[in-house]
Amino acid sequence: MPRDVTLARARAELASGSVPMATQRLRGLAGTFPLDLEIRAQLAEAYRAQGNLVQAGRWAYLSDHRDATETAAFERATPDPRERMRVLGWPADEEAASTPTAVQRLTALRAAAEERHGAPVRYSDLCWSGNGAEGEDSGGWLEALGCAAVAGLLVIVVGLFLLGTLHGAWIVARWLF
């Protein structure tokens, strides 16, 4: 579904009180269009409707008009500026932002992270776990273990498929010759 149609549907869902569905739809859009400040603002609105100050502050962080209480809640939940950069899920450098306010906020946050950690930090270098909600674990070793298990299972399935194909070819060859 195109961005504008999906965004309109999410707005209609918010207006009709289907906040969880709108939130889910907007999270998908934010994952697909992480640089879109309009989608971020709508997602902040959805979390605001749920009373989730941390997530509302997270998604409105780059907005021209943000609520100081929500911003403070987000900053308390992610006090490390480098972690806040990662959680924002901004996959590019500051110059990719479409408003001067967003550029300024991204730049200030990066400067705070570099000062705290004593090393250069770039948004595009951070391991972004997607648009997980507050309290979601980014995965770490457990996610890596799961990926390894899926990869191992895939190797087994492909191997069995190839083995079956070769066995079938051998039977056909014996039948023909």
Side-chain angles (χ1 to χ4, degrees), residues 146-156:
C147 288
V150 169
L153 185 60
L154 184 61
V155 167
I156 291 170

Side-chain angles (χ1 to χ4, degrees), residues 124-159:
S124 57
D125 292 340
L126 293 176
C127 178
W128 180 42
S129 65
N131 54 8
E134 172 193 8
E136 286 182 0
D137 188 357
S138 63
W141 69 269
L142 191 56
E143 184 177 328
L145 183 63
C147 288
V150 169
L153 185 60
L154 184 61
V155 167
I156 291 170
V157 168
V158 169

Side-chain angles (χ1 to χ4, degrees), residues 64-126:
D64 288 330
H65 308 287
R66 65 182 186 182
D67 181 272
T69 304
E70 295 169 353
T71 301
F74 172 59
E75 289 175 342
R76 274 192 310 276
T78 52
D80 182 341
R82 187 171 192 271
E83 178 65 9
R84 200 174 312 135
M85 286 174 66
R86 187 193 66 76
V87 171
L88 277 177
W90 190 261
D93 290 324
E94 301 90 331
E95 297 78 27
S98 60
T99 67
T101 301
V103 170
Q104 181 271 328
R105 289 184 180 151
L106 289 165
T107 302
L109 182 56
R110 182 176 49 81
E114 289 175 345
E115 181 178 329
R116 179 167 183 176
H117 292 278
V121 181
R122 291 172 37 110
Y123 286 93
S124 57
D125 292 340
L126 293 176

Side-chain angles (χ1 to χ4, degrees), residues 4-25:
D4 293 339
V5 173
T6 306
L7 189 56
R9 185 170 286 176
R11 285 182 175 143
E13 289 165 347
L14 273 175
S16 72
S18 296
V19 178
M21 180 56 85
T23 303
Q24 181 178 1
R25 193 176 305 280

